[in-house]
Amino acid sequence: MNIYLIRHGRQSSPLCNVNVDLAEEGKKQAHLLGRRLKSYNIDALYSSNLIRAVETAGILNEYLKLDHIIREDIREISFGFLEGKSNDEIEKEFGDFKRKQLLLQEDLPYPGGECGREVFDRAMETVGEIIHSDKSNVAVVTHGGVIRALVSGLLGLDMSKKLLLGISLENTSITHLVYSKDRERFYLQRFNDYAHLEGQDELLRVNL
């Protein structure tokens, strides 16, 4: 079974984890990915319930023509008291936390929010549903924090090191997991694959 974890398209606000729609760039990213996925034989489409993920999946579905299944348990990690704040505000109010987080010594919860293990535990409800289905190629539109937590947890990695998985996950990037039902094991095939965005620098986070 192939599971394609997809980060949502670029959102319309730079503030931390606000529940907003896609920017125009995010819509373009999703269309580029949709054209790419047409050849992947996708037979199930999931997304989180946050607007940016629902809209990304909706655009993908213009190409895939599938039932769109929405699940709350694959929503973004809760950033707690950081949510709705700008980067400057976060640095001013939570700079000490951010510096401690970057030491990668603990799976720290965000102040008033979640840690990676909590995200993994809740997201596994949807993962369990997927692996026990009869589907072969499943696309899951979710969020950077969820992708890092799932990859870390499914591969048995130390959750405190999850931020080593990519400096920045690109919007609409694909992280491809293969699940072997015979071995009951997950394999990471690709991580943060954004080949469909190459050559369009304005759509890349590394250029923001």
Side-chain angles (χ1 to χ4, degrees):
M1 171 184 282
N2 296 297
I3 301 173
Y4 301 100
L5 301 177
I6 295 165
R7 189 169 186 240
H8 59 82
R10 186 180 298 173
Q11 65 186 43
S12 60
S13 171
L15 301 180
C16 178
N17 201 31
V18 285
N19 193 16
V20 295
D21 58 1
L22 294 178
E24 288 304 312
E25 296 90 344
K27 295 175 184 177
K28 185 174 182 180
Q29 292 165 333
H31 278 290
L32 290 169
L33 178 60
R35 293 175 195 135
R36 179 180 178 180
L37 291 179
K38 284 180 70 175
S39 64
Y40 281 47
N41 297 315
I42 302 296
D43 52 9
L45 175 64
Y46 285 76
S47 83
S48 95
N49 64 328
L50 297 183
I51 295 169
R52 57 194 183 272
V54 171
E55 287 194 351
T56 301
I59 292 172
L60 298 182
N61 217 13
E62 294 178 26
Y63 302 88
L64 303 178
K65 312 297 185 185
L66 297 166
D67 290 335
H68 175 189
I69 303 166
I70 299 173
R71 292 286 184 266
E72 182 178 357
D73 55 53
I74 52 173
R75 69 191 182 279
E76 178 61 297
I77 188 171
S78 171
F79 291 86
F81 302 139
L82 282 66
E83 293 189 353
K85 297 184 181 297
S86 68
N87 289 338
D88 288 343
E89 289 172 322
I90 290 171
E91 174 58 31
K92 181 178 179 180
E93 298 178 40
F94 300 100
D96 289 343
F97 165 77
K98 296 296 290 184
R99 284 182 283 276
K100 186 176 182 181
Q101 184 185 49
L102 289 174
L103 295 175
L104 306 179
Q105 295 176 346
E106 302 174 66
D107 179 26
L108 294 171
Y110 284 91
E114 293 177 298
C115 66
R117 177 56 59 177
E118 290 171 315
V119 175
F120 174 78
D121 288 344
R122 62 169 162 82
M124 280 304 294
E125 182 172 343
T126 291
V127 173
E129 177 182 325
I130 290 169
I131 65 175
H132 290 104
S133 74
D134 61 355
K135 305 303 181 182
S136 299
N137 302 292
V138 181
V140 182
V141 182
T142 182
H143 307 265
V146 178
I147 293 170
R148 286 190 174 100
L150 279 175
V151 170
S152 297
L154 293 173
L155 299 184
L157 306 178
D158 186 339
M159 198 66 73
S160 68
K161 303 296 190 288
K162 62 186 179 297
L163 294 179
L164 291 174
L165 295 172
I167 294 173
S168 179
L169 270 64
E170 291 289 345
N171 293 106
T172 67
S173 65
I174 297 171
T175 292
H176 177 191
L177 294 166
V178 173
Y179 178 66
S180 168
K181 292 190 177 184
D182 292 338
R183 299 178 183 179
E184 297 185 345
R185 183 175 295 167
F186 290 87
Y187 298 85
L188 179 64
Q189 288 289 88
R190 283 178 285 176
F191 183 81
N192 194 32
D193 173 0
Y194 54 94
H196 52 284
L197 303 181
E198 289 179 351
Q200 305 202 50
D201 290 351
E202 75 281 3
L203 299 182
L204 297 177
R205 287 173 60 85
V206 293
N207 295 315
L208 288 179

PDB file of all heavy atoms in Angstrom, residues 6 37 42-47 56-62 64-70 135 137-141:
ATOM      1  N   ILE A   6       0.638  14.590   2.126  1.00  0.00           N
ATOM      2  CA  ILE A   6       0.789  15.818   1.350  1.00  0.00           C
ATOM      3  C   ILE A   6       0.603  17.022   2.270  1.00  0.00           C
ATOM      4  O   ILE A   6      -0.417  17.123   2.976  1.00  0.00           O
ATOM      5  CB  ILE A   6      -0.256  15.862   0.222  1.00  0.00           C
ATOM      6  CG1 ILE A   6       0.004  14.726  -0.773  1.00  0.00           C
ATOM      7  CG2 ILE A   6      -0.253  17.221  -0.480  1.00  0.00           C
ATOM      8  CD1 ILE A   6      -1.153  14.462  -1.696  1.00  0.00           C
ATOM      9  N   LEU A  37      -0.548  13.983  -9.755  1.00  0.00           N
ATOM     10  CA  LEU A  37      -1.142  12.804  -9.131  1.00  0.00           C
ATOM     11  C   LEU A  37      -2.073  12.025 -10.056  1.00  0.00           C
ATOM     12  O   LEU A  37      -2.447  10.889  -9.736  1.00  0.00           O
ATOM     13  CB  LEU A  37      -1.907  13.210  -7.868  1.00  0.00           C
ATOM     14  CG  LEU A  37      -1.075  13.699  -6.678  1.00  0.00           C
ATOM     15  CD1 LEU A  37      -1.987  14.074  -5.521  1.00  0.00           C
ATOM     16  CD2 LEU A  37      -0.061  12.655  -6.236  1.00  0.00           C
ATOM     17  N   ILE A  42      -4.488   7.071  -7.614  1.00  0.00           N
ATOM     18  CA  ILE A  42      -4.996   7.318  -6.261  1.00  0.00           C
ATOM     19  C   ILE A  42      -6.418   6.778  -6.163  1.00  0.00           C
ATOM     20  O   ILE A  42      -7.265   7.065  -7.026  1.00  0.00           O
ATOM     21  CB  ILE A  42      -4.973   8.823  -5.939  1.00  0.00           C
ATOM     22  CG1 ILE A  42      -3.553   9.413  -6.071  1.00  0.00           C
ATOM     23  CG2 ILE A  42      -5.544   9.083  -4.549  1.00  0.00           C
ATOM     24  CD1 ILE A  42      -2.549   8.858  -5.110  1.00  0.00           C
ATOM     25  N   ASP A  43      -6.691   5.999  -5.118  1.00  0.00           N
ATOM     26  CA  ASP A  43      -8.035   5.443  -4.966  1.00  0.00           C
ATOM     27  C   ASP A  43      -8.710   5.851  -3.657  1.00  0.00           C
ATOM     28  O   ASP A  43      -9.824   5.385  -3.359  1.00  0.00           O
ATOM     29  CB  ASP A  43      -8.029   3.918  -5.132  1.00  0.00           C
ATOM     30  CG  ASP A  43      -7.024   3.210  -4.251  1.00  0.00           C
ATOM     31  OD1 ASP A  43      -6.424   3.857  -3.373  1.00  0.00           O
ATOM     32  OD2 ASP A  43      -6.821   1.991  -4.444  1.00  0.00           O
ATOM     33  N   ALA A  44      -8.081   6.737  -2.888  1.00  0.00           N
ATOM     34  CA  ALA A  44      -8.738   7.307  -1.706  1.00  0.00           C
ATOM     35  C   ALA A  44      -8.085   8.646  -1.394  1.00  0.00           C
ATOM     36  O   ALA A  44      -6.863   8.797  -1.552  1.00  0.00           O
ATOM     37  CB  ALA A  44      -8.641   6.375  -0.501  1.00  0.00           C
ATOM     38  N   LEU A  45      -8.895   9.612  -0.959  1.00  0.00           N
ATOM     39  CA  LEU A  45      -8.409  10.958  -0.667  1.00  0.00           C
ATOM     40  C   LEU A  45      -8.913  11.399   0.700  1.00  0.00           C
ATOM     41  O   LEU A  45     -10.119  11.460   0.932  1.00  0.00           O
ATOM     42  CB  LEU A  45      -8.891  11.936  -1.736  1.00  0.00           C
ATOM     43  CG  LEU A  45      -8.570  13.422  -1.510  1.00  0.00           C
ATOM     44  CD1 LEU A  45      -7.061  13.660  -1.535  1.00  0.00           C
ATOM     45  CD2 LEU A  45      -9.272  14.278  -2.567  1.00  0.00           C
ATOM     46  N   TYR A  46      -7.975  11.685   1.581  1.00  0.00           N
ATOM     47  CA  TYR A  46      -8.277  12.174   2.923  1.00  0.00           C
ATOM     48  C   TYR A  46      -7.714  13.584   3.082  1.00  0.00           C
ATOM     49  O   TYR A  46      -6.750  13.961   2.421  1.00  0.00           O
ATOM     50  CB  TYR A  46      -7.603  11.298   3.989  1.00  0.00           C
ATOM     51  CG  TYR A  46      -8.229   9.951   4.228  1.00  0.00           C
ATOM     52  CD1 TYR A  46      -8.057   8.907   3.335  1.00  0.00           C
ATOM     53  CD2 TYR A  46      -8.974   9.713   5.387  1.00  0.00           C
ATOM     54  CE1 TYR A  46      -8.612   7.658   3.565  1.00  0.00           C
ATOM     55  CE2 TYR A  46      -9.533   8.463   5.631  1.00  0.00           C
ATOM     56  CZ  TYR A  46      -9.344   7.441   4.720  1.00  0.00           C
ATOM     57  OH  TYR A  46      -9.890   6.207   4.964  1.00  0.00           O
ATOM     58  N   SER A  47      -8.311  14.350   4.012  1.00  0.00           N
ATOM     59  CA  SER A  47      -7.684  15.602   4.434  1.00  0.00           C
ATOM     60  C   SER A  47      -8.053  15.890   5.872  1.00  0.00           C
ATOM     61  O   SER A  47      -9.034  15.346   6.406  1.00  0.00           O
ATOM     62  CB  SER A  47      -8.110  16.780   3.547  1.00  0.00           C
ATOM     63  OG  SER A  47      -9.353  17.318   3.958  1.00  0.00           O
ATOM     64  N   THR A  56      -7.066  22.442  -0.382  1.00  0.00           N
ATOM     65  CA  THR A  56      -6.040  21.752  -1.173  1.00  0.00           C
ATOM     66  C   THR A  56      -6.594  20.444  -1.714  1.00  0.00           C
ATOM     67  O   THR A  56      -6.447  20.139  -2.912  1.00  0.00           O
ATOM     68  CB  THR A  56      -4.790  21.480  -0.323  1.00  0.00           C
ATOM     69  OG1 THR A  56      -4.261  22.723   0.158  1.00  0.00           O
ATOM     70  CG2 THR A  56      -3.716  20.759  -1.136  1.00  0.00           C
ATOM     71  N   ALA A  57      -7.236  19.658  -0.849  1.00  0.00           N
ATOM     72  CA  ALA A  57      -7.805  18.387  -1.293  1.00  0.00           C
ATOM     73  C   ALA A  57      -8.899  18.600  -2.336  1.00  0.00           C
ATOM     74  O   ALA A  57      -9.039  17.816  -3.283  1.00  0.00           O
ATOM     75  CB  ALA A  57      -8.349  17.612  -0.105  1.00  0.00           C
ATOM     76  N   GLY A  58      -9.669  19.665  -2.169  1.00  0.00           N
ATOM     77  CA  GLY A  58     -10.723  19.957  -3.137  1.00  0.00           C
ATOM     78  C   GLY A  58     -10.161  20.215  -4.529  1.00  0.00           C
ATOM     79  O   GLY A  58     -10.723  19.754  -5.536  1.00  0.00           O
ATOM     80  N   ILE A  59      -9.056  20.951  -4.598  1.00  0.00           N
ATOM     81  CA  ILE A  59      -8.424  21.197  -5.895  1.00  0.00           C
ATOM     82  C   ILE A  59      -7.845  19.896  -6.460  1.00  0.00           C
ATOM     83  O   ILE A  59      -7.997  19.595  -7.650  1.00  0.00           O
ATOM     84  CB  ILE A  59      -7.345  22.278  -5.766  1.00  0.00           C
ATOM     85  CG1 ILE A  59      -8.000  23.628  -5.457  1.00  0.00           C
ATOM     86  CG2 ILE A  59      -6.508  22.372  -7.041  1.00  0.00           C
ATOM     87  CD1 ILE A  59      -7.026  24.741  -5.107  1.00  0.00           C
ATOM     88  N   LEU A  60      -7.182  19.110  -5.622  1.00  0.00           N
ATOM     89  CA  LEU A  60      -6.669  17.816  -6.092  1.00  0.00           C
ATOM     90  C   LEU A  60      -7.798  16.960  -6.649  1.00  0.00           C
ATOM     91  O   LEU A  60      -7.624  16.241  -7.640  1.00  0.00           O
ATOM     92  CB  LEU A  60      -5.975  17.070  -4.948  1.00  0.00           C
ATOM     93  CG  LEU A  60      -4.751  17.720  -4.316  1.00  0.00           C
ATOM     94  CD1 LEU A  60      -4.173  16.806  -3.239  1.00  0.00           C
ATOM     95  CD2 LEU A  60      -3.694  18.052  -5.358  1.00  0.00           C
ATOM     96  N   ASN A  61      -8.959  17.081  -6.043  1.00  0.00           N
ATOM     97  CA  ASN A  61     -10.076  16.227  -6.437  1.00  0.00           C
ATOM     98  C   ASN A  61     -10.681  16.639  -7.774  1.00  0.00           C
ATOM     99  O   ASN A  61     -11.460  15.880  -8.364  1.00  0.00           O
ATOM    100  CB  ASN A  61     -11.139  16.200  -5.346  1.00  0.00           C
ATOM    101  CG  ASN A  61     -11.776  14.836  -5.201  1.00  0.00           C
ATOM    102  OD1 ASN A  61     -11.276  13.842  -5.735  1.00  0.00           O
ATOM    103  ND2 ASN A  61     -12.882  14.779  -4.494  1.00  0.00           N
ATOM    104  N   GLU A  62     -10.332  17.824  -8.264  1.00  0.00           N
ATOM    105  CA  GLU A  62     -10.729  18.185  -9.626  1.00  0.00           C
ATOM    106  C   GLU A  62     -10.076  17.248 -10.636  1.00  0.00           C
ATOM    107  O   GLU A  62     -10.575  17.061 -11.742  1.00  0.00           O
ATOM    108  CB  GLU A  62     -10.346  19.631  -9.916  1.00  0.00           C
ATOM    109  CG  GLU A  62     -11.117  20.657  -9.078  1.00  0.00           C
ATOM    110  CD  GLU A  62     -10.681  22.080  -9.368  1.00  0.00           C
ATOM    111  OE1 GLU A  62     -10.184  22.333 -10.490  1.00  0.00           O
ATOM    112  OE2 GLU A  62     -10.846  22.950  -8.481  1.00  0.00           O
ATOM    113  N   LEU A  64      -8.718  14.013  -9.429  1.00  0.00           N
ATOM    114  CA  LEU A  64      -8.804  12.634  -8.951  1.00  0.00           C
ATOM    115  C   LEU A  64     -10.216  12.074  -8.967  1.00  0.00           C
ATOM    116  O   LEU A  64     -10.402  10.859  -9.101  1.00  0.00           O
ATOM    117  CB  LEU A  64      -8.228  12.540  -7.531  1.00  0.00           C
ATOM    118  CG  LEU A  64      -6.781  13.017  -7.368  1.00  0.00           C
ATOM    119  CD1 LEU A  64      -6.361  12.922  -5.905  1.00  0.00           C
ATOM    120  CD2 LEU A  64      -5.833  12.213  -8.251  1.00  0.00           C
ATOM    121  N   LYS A  65     -11.227  12.938  -8.747  1.00  0.00           N
ATOM    122  CA  LYS A  65     -12.635  12.518  -8.816  1.00  0.00           C
ATOM    123  C   LYS A  65     -12.953  11.394  -7.820  1.00  0.00           C
ATOM    124  O   LYS A  65     -13.451  10.325  -8.165  1.00  0.00           O
ATOM    125  CB  LYS A  65     -13.007  12.054 -10.234  1.00  0.00           C
ATOM    126  CG  LYS A  65     -12.585  12.987 -11.352  1.00  0.00           C
ATOM    127  CD  LYS A  65     -13.254  14.334 -11.281  1.00  0.00           C
ATOM    128  CE  LYS A  65     -12.888  15.192 -12.500  1.00  0.00           C
ATOM    129  NZ  LYS A  65     -13.439  16.557 -12.414  1.00  0.00           N
ATOM    130  N   LEU A  66     -12.663  11.639  -6.549  1.00  0.00           N
ATOM    131  CA  LEU A  66     -12.872  10.634  -5.505  1.00  0.00           C
ATOM    132  C   LEU A  66     -13.757  11.189  -4.395  1.00  0.00           C
ATOM    133  O   LEU A  66     -13.968  12.404  -4.295  1.00  0.00           O
ATOM    134  CB  LEU A  66     -11.521  10.233  -4.899  1.00  0.00           C
ATOM    135  CG  LEU A  66     -10.509   9.570  -5.824  1.00  0.00           C
ATOM    136  CD1 LEU A  66      -9.131   9.554  -5.175  1.00  0.00           C
ATOM    137  CD2 LEU A  66     -10.959   8.143  -6.171  1.00  0.00           C
ATOM    138  N   ASP A  67     -14.261  10.316  -3.544  1.00  0.00           N
ATOM    139  CA  ASP A  67     -14.883  10.778  -2.313  1.00  0.00           C
ATOM    140  C   ASP A  67     -13.805  11.436  -1.454  1.00  0.00           C
ATOM    141  O   ASP A  67     -12.707  10.886  -1.307  1.00  0.00           O
ATOM    142  CB  ASP A  67     -15.513   9.608  -1.540  1.00  0.00           C
ATOM    143  CG  ASP A  67     -16.738   9.047  -2.239  1.00  0.00           C
ATOM    144  OD1 ASP A  67     -17.381   9.792  -3.004  1.00  0.00           O
ATOM    145  OD2 ASP A  67     -17.046   7.856  -2.014  1.00  0.00           O
ATOM    146  N   HIS A  68     -14.119  12.596  -0.914  1.00  0.00           N
ATOM    147  CA  HIS A  68     -13.164  13.333  -0.088  1.00  0.00           C
ATOM    148  C   HIS A  68     -13.532  13.099   1.382  1.00  0.00           C
ATOM    149  O   HIS A  68     -14.582  13.526   1.853  1.00  0.00           O
ATOM    150  CB  HIS A  68     -13.235  14.824  -0.446  1.00  0.00           C
ATOM    151  CG  HIS A  68     -12.398  15.713   0.411  1.00  0.00           C
ATOM    152  ND1 HIS A  68     -12.475  17.085   0.349  1.00  0.00           N
ATOM    153  CD2 HIS A  68     -11.463  15.445   1.357  1.00  0.00           C
ATOM    154  CE1 HIS A  68     -11.628  17.622   1.204  1.00  0.00           C
ATOM    155  NE2 HIS A  68     -11.019  16.632   1.839  1.00  0.00           N
ATOM    156  N   ILE A  69     -12.644  12.401   2.085  1.00  0.00           N
ATOM    157  CA  ILE A  69     -12.897  12.031   3.482  1.00  0.00           C
ATOM    158  C   ILE A  69     -12.150  13.018   4.382  1.00  0.00           C
ATOM    159  O   ILE A  69     -10.933  13.191   4.268  1.00  0.00           O
ATOM    160  CB  ILE A  69     -12.413  10.596   3.752  1.00  0.00           C
ATOM    161  CG1 ILE A  69     -13.104   9.622   2.786  1.00  0.00           C
ATOM    162  CG2 ILE A  69     -12.658  10.199   5.208  1.00  0.00           C
ATOM    163  CD1 ILE A  69     -12.451   8.249   2.730  1.00  0.00           C
ATOM    164  N   ILE A  70     -12.869  13.675   5.285  1.00  0.00           N
ATOM    165  CA  ILE A  70     -12.279  14.687   6.166  1.00  0.00           C
ATOM    166  C   ILE A  70     -12.172  14.121   7.578  1.00  0.00           C
ATOM    167  O   ILE A  70     -13.148  13.591   8.110  1.00  0.00           O
ATOM    168  CB  ILE A  70     -13.130  15.977   6.161  1.00  0.00           C
ATOM    169  CG1 ILE A  70     -13.178  16.568   4.741  1.00  0.00           C
ATOM    170  CG2 ILE A  70     -12.579  17.001   7.147  1.00  0.00           C
ATOM    171  CD1 ILE A  70     -14.122  17.750   4.606  1.00  0.00           C
ATOM    172  N   LYS A 135      -7.807  -0.241  -0.028  1.00  0.00           N
ATOM    173  CA  LYS A 135      -7.213   0.699  -0.972  1.00  0.00           C
ATOM    174  C   LYS A 135      -5.731   0.404  -1.187  1.00  0.00           C
ATOM    175  O   LYS A 135      -5.083  -0.244  -0.372  1.00  0.00           O
ATOM    176  CB  LYS A 135      -7.382   2.136  -0.470  1.00  0.00           C
ATOM    177  CG  LYS A 135      -8.825   2.524  -0.158  1.00  0.00           C
ATOM    178  CD  LYS A 135      -9.736   2.338  -1.365  1.00  0.00           C
ATOM    179  CE  LYS A 135     -11.160   2.748  -1.054  1.00  0.00           C
ATOM    180  NZ  LYS A 135     -12.075   2.531  -2.198  1.00  0.00           N
ATOM    181  N   ASN A 137      -3.574   3.053  -3.056  1.00  0.00           N
ATOM    182  CA  ASN A 137      -2.837   4.306  -3.220  1.00  0.00           C
ATOM    183  C   ASN A 137      -3.650   5.435  -2.604  1.00  0.00           C
ATOM    184  O   ASN A 137      -4.638   5.889  -3.199  1.00  0.00           O
ATOM    185  CB  ASN A 137      -2.586   4.595  -4.704  1.00  0.00           C
ATOM    186  CG  ASN A 137      -1.833   3.479  -5.386  1.00  0.00           C
ATOM    187  OD1 ASN A 137      -0.656   3.240  -5.118  1.00  0.00           O
ATOM    188  ND2 ASN A 137      -2.526   2.753  -6.273  1.00  0.00           N
ATOM    189  N   VAL A 138      -3.238   5.878  -1.432  1.00  0.00           N
ATOM    190  CA  VAL A 138      -4.045   6.812  -0.642  1.00  0.00           C
ATOM    191  C   VAL A 138      -3.317   8.137  -0.487  1.00  0.00           C
ATOM    192  O   VAL A 138      -2.150   8.173  -0.079  1.00  0.00           O
ATOM    193  CB  VAL A 138      -4.352   6.219   0.748  1.00  0.00           C
ATOM    194  CG1 VAL A 138      -5.217   7.176   1.560  1.00  0.00           C
ATOM    195  CG2 VAL A 138      -5.039   4.860   0.604  1.00  0.00           C
ATOM    196  N   ALA A 139      -4.005   9.225  -0.824  1.00  0.00           N
ATOM    197  CA  ALA A 139      -3.469  10.576  -0.637  1.00  0.00           C
ATOM    198  C   ALA A 139      -4.075  11.179   0.619  1.00  0.00           C
ATOM    199  O   ALA A 139      -5.292  11.124   0.815  1.00  0.00           O
ATOM    200  CB  ALA A 139      -3.784  11.453  -1.845  1.00  0.00           C
ATOM    201  N   VAL A 140      -3.220  11.750   1.468  1.00  0.00           N
ATOM    202  CA  VAL A 140      -3.657  12.334   2.739  1.00  0.00           C
ATOM    203  C   VAL A 140      -3.132  13.761   2.823  1.00  0.00           C
ATOM    204  O   VAL A 140      -1.933  13.979   2.971  1.00  0.00           O
ATOM    205  CB  VAL A 140      -3.124  11.512   3.941  1.00  0.00           C
ATOM    206  CG1 VAL A 140      -3.628  12.118   5.251  1.00  0.00           C
ATOM    207  CG2 VAL A 140      -3.525  10.050   3.823  1.00  0.00           C
ATOM    208  N   VAL A 141      -4.019  14.732   2.718  1.00  0.00           N
ATOM    209  CA  VAL A 141      -3.610  16.136   2.794  1.00  0.00           C
ATOM    210  C   VAL A 141      -3.631  16.563   4.256  1.00  0.00           C
ATOM    211  O   VAL A 141      -4.675  16.590   4.897  1.00  0.00           O
ATOM    212  CB  VAL A 141      -4.537  17.036   1.958  1.00  0.00           C
ATOM    213  CG1 VAL A 141      -4.052  18.488   2.030  1.00  0.00           C
ATOM    214  CG2 VAL A 141      -4.585  16.561   0.512  1.00  0.00           C
TER     215      VAL A 141
END
